[in-house]
Amino acid sequence: MPLLLSLAACDAAPPRIDPRGQQLRSELDTLTADYGKCVDEKVAAADVSKDPAGSIAIEAVKACRPLRGALRLKVASFDRLGHPNHTANQAEAVAEASVGVIEKELREQAVVTIVKRQNQTR
């Protein structure tokens, strides 16, 4: 039986290596981390004594819009690579939805961090 398994392994196709996809994935990971770091830094620097946590979080996210835009463009490129039949509008819609999810998570995390800071100062 081991002989049959070894023969079957010879017929298996080698794993597909997609260097462009791997490069884009790496760039996406870096941009996502940079976007999160930007929001974290804005939250850390914010005066949390006067405004509601949600308002402060929204302003922190807004301050990082350039990174959001770069991430959205990179997601659209990644989508077009994986789905070459998508139109530019479809790739943009996928990118906007994907980055929207990330933005929502960052905003929610920011609110939690701000509320903790506010509770420590009271």
Side-chain angles (χ1 to χ4, degrees):
M1 190 75 154
L3 180 60
L4 289 176
L5 291 177
S6 64
L7 290 175
C10 291
D11 293 337
R16 182 173 166 236
I17 297 174
D18 182 3
R20 179 69 181 137
Q22 290 174 346
Q23 177 187 350
L24 280 173
R25 169 68 70 179
S26 176
E27 292 170 7
L28 279 172
D29 290 345
T30 300
L31 280 171
T32 302
D34 290 349
Y35 186 29
K37 183 179 176 186
C38 178
V39 173
D40 289 347
E41 288 172 352
K42 300 300 180 191
V43 167
D47 176 4
V48 298
S49 65
K50 298 175 185 170
D51 295 322
S55 297
I56 297 168
I58 288 170
E59 290 305 312
V61 170
K62 280 183 183 178
C64 298
R65 275 198 179 138
L67 285 169
R68 184 194 195 283
L71 180 59
R72 188 178 43 73
L73 290 173
K74 194 62 67 177
V75 171
S77 294
F78 190 74
D79 181 73
R80 283 191 297 273
L81 180 68
H83 303 281
N85 292 333
H86 274 186
T87 65
N89 286 341
Q90 288 172 313
E92 264 308 305
V94 167
E96 185 58 39
S98 297
V99 174
V101 170
I102 294 168
E103 180 179 7
K104 181 178 183 269
E105 289 177 12
L106 290 174
R107 194 172 47 251
E108 289 171 354
Q109 291 171 359
V111 167
V112 169
T113 300
I114 294 163
V115 168
K116 285 179 183 178
R117 285 183 56 207
Q118 288 173 334
N119 287 337
Q120 291 171 350
T121 60
R122 291 181 185 173

